[in-house]
Amino acid sequence: MPTISMNVNGISVSAEVENRTVLSTALRENLGMTGTHVGCDTSQCGACVVHVNGKAVKSCTMFAVEADGAEVATIEGQAHSDGSLNVIQQAFQDHHGLQCGFCTPGMIMTATALLRDNPKPTETEIRDHLEGNICRCTGYQGIVNAIMAASGQKPAIAAE
Amino acid sequence: MYNFEFTKPKTIKDAAKALAADGAQALGGGQTLLPTMKQRLAMPETLVSLTEVDGMVGVDSRGTGLTIGGATTHAQVASDAADVYPALAGLAAGIGDPAVRNRGTIGGSLANNDPAACYPAAALASGATITTNKRDIHAVDYFQGMFETALAEDEIITAVQFPIPQAGNYQKFVQPASRFALVGVFVAKTADGVRVAVTGASGSGVYRWTAAETALNSDFSAKAIEGLSDDPSEMITDLHGTAAYRAHLVGVLTRRAVTASR
Ligand SMILES: Cc1cc2nc3c(=O)[nH]c(=O)nc-3n(C[C@H](O)[C@H](O)[C@H](O)COP(=O)(O)OP(=O)(O)OC[C@H]3O[C@@H](n4cnc5c(N)ncnc54)[C@H](O)[C@@H]3O)c2cc1C
Ligand code: FES
Ligand code: FES
């Protein structure tokens, strides 16, 4: 079986995978990092979004061997080193950006990519960017509010 | 999914050689192929990844038109083509969602020729040339029906050349569950006349709406095609919309695309 090496959240790791192993499986089963969730496994829901070389991708729809040598960022690497939440995570907590939390890792990774490219997105831009992230609980307003707040803007409609 | 051999060639020559083997298949961004393999609808023995092949990634506007490497992602086209060919960049920016755009490639989209895909409409309306490791294929000869193209099994789309129209625009009516086009219309006003390419509507894939082209050639305005609608008899009926509904959308989207053309 091929051995792949990746830098995940700043740590060099390697794993033995099959060619058919998708990145989400390599992260969760080979590396024990279960923060990345698999909702649909058919590239529809976005729960599995991670960053590969700085780009948000659906890790269920990329082979692990394609990430050989890549820098990967997952939800596990987002909090500060003392364990406190980063500004986007904190905003999700403060603005009811999650209920069951299943979609949240993908939402946070997608929002992180958005705010890196576009530090002050409009509500429409946020909703457009979340096109590939499905949430069954919140109705999205709390998520949109959290991303508005994380970018230093006032949410248009309160979620409560 | 069945297991397979995996190779990541660095040159077009090596990729072509690997693809010539029995059971070998090209892997672009995997956004279509990977789900198909999970369903065991495709079971290649070898996957030949094209994403690291030299010279197959990039958007080059130095010549008269725009040349896009076959393994260029939709996200890169959306950003790098924005100044030279905004209608094409806008189309790329509307494909699927951001994560799909970060992986999916123009070569994969054109090779797949999904009847609801966006790029086929751009290629046909712009009069693009699809360059492979073997030859140049004009868009008119390239698209041959639903999921059918002029490509041979071991042929690689290395680049796509787009002449840039005087004005153009793409309008997509999104099918919200799949995020593909329920109907999409690309309008291009060129020195040789207006071309209107329609995706999503017909069971035989992308086509040109010639009646609208004739009307727009004498007057390039939404008014010139007011009341004109395409023949629904060959159009798709499914749970997302009837043939008549799609025919109606073709008219509406063409008028919007003409108005938005720049
Ligand atoms: C959720 C979702 C939404 C989407 N929405 C849209 C949309 O709105 N509009 C749209 O147009 N598309 C949409 N797509 C499809 C997307 O654009 C795909 O990226 C594209 O169709 C396939 O490109 P790929 O690079 O991922 O190809 P792959 O999946 O890697 O390959 C597809 C096929 O093309 C072949 N192939 C790949 N590259 C080449 C090449 N260079 N030369 C020859 N053959 C090649 C492969 O062997 C395979 O048969 C969507 C996909 C998903 C998952
Ligand atoms: S698990 Fe990857 S998109 Fe749903
Ligand atoms: S919080 Fe439950 S799916 Fe989004």
Side-chain angles (χ1 to χ4, degrees), chain B residues 113-128:
Chain B
N113 192 21
D114 189 295
C118 302
Y119 270 125
L124 192 59
S126 311

Side-chain angles (χ1 to χ4, degrees), chain B:
Chain B
M1 177 189 325
Y2 294 106
N3 210 0
F4 51 84
E5 298 295 320
F6 179 78
T7 83
K8 224 180 199 178
K10 298 281 182 210
T11 65
I12 292 173
K13 208 169 145 217
D14 286 350
K17 208 165 129 199
L19 274 176
D22 249 6
Q25 189 168 0
L27 175 67
Q31 300 303 291
T32 296
L33 185 53
L34 224 140
T36 318
M37 287 170 68
K38 284 183 181 174
Q39 294 173 62
R40 294 184 175 176
L41 294 171
M43 35 198 120
E45 284 166 36
T46 304
L47 277 189
V48 183
S49 168
L50 300 176
T51 46
E52 285 183 13
V53 172
D54 269 350
M56 270 187 61
V57 176
V59 176
D60 183 353
S61 56
R62 281 171 304 181
T64 46
L66 195 63
T67 303
I68 300 176
T72 310
T73 62
H74 310 326
Q76 190 173 351
V77 174
S79 68
D80 294 3
D83 291 339
V84 240
Y85 195 173
L88 185 70
L91 173 146
I95 292 178
D97 58 59
V100 167
R101 296 195 287 274
N102 279 337
R103 295 290 304 163
T105 66
I106 187 168
S109 175
L110 290 173
N112 197 48
N113 192 21
D114 189 295
C118 302
Y119 270 125
L124 192 59
S126 311
T129 301
I130 288 94
T131 303
T132 76
N133 55 319
K134 297 181 175 163
R135 57 189 166 139
D136 282 345
I137 312 169
H138 194 276
V140 175
D141 306 314
Y142 177 82
F143 299 105
Q144 303 192 341
M146 192 188 274
F147 298 111
E148 296 289 335
T149 71
L151 289 180
E153 270 203 11
D154 59 346
E155 211 168 351
I156 305 166
I157 298 177
T158 55
V160 188
Q161 298 172 51
F162 287 91
I164 297 168
Q166 295 159 350
N169 185 260
Y170 178 65
Q171 292 286 324
K172 172 184 179 184
F173 193 93
V174 179
Q175 199 276 82
S178 76
R179 297 175 210 116
F180 277 75
L182 182 61
V183 172
V185 176
F186 201 110
V187 169
K189 183 173 185 281
T190 77
D192 312 327
V194 177
R195 284 190 289 262
V196 177
V198 180
T199 188
S202 164
S204 26
V206 68
Y207 69 93
R208 278 170 61 185
W209 185 20
T210 46
E213 291 178 355
T214 308
L216 290 167
N217 272 327
S218 41
D219 174 13
F220 191 71
S221 76
K223 229 170 142 236
I225 47 171
E226 195 68 63
L228 195 65
S229 69
D230 200 7
D231 175 13
S233 61
E234 304 279 303
M235 288 192 192
I236 302 169
T237 288
D238 60 18
L239 82 164
H240 308 297
T242 61
Y245 181 62
R246 280 183 163 86
H248 177 71
L249 279 180
V250 171
V252 172
L253 296 176
T254 306
R255 286 191 288 279
R256 285 185 192 166
V258 169
T259 305
S261 278
R262 54 187 53 103

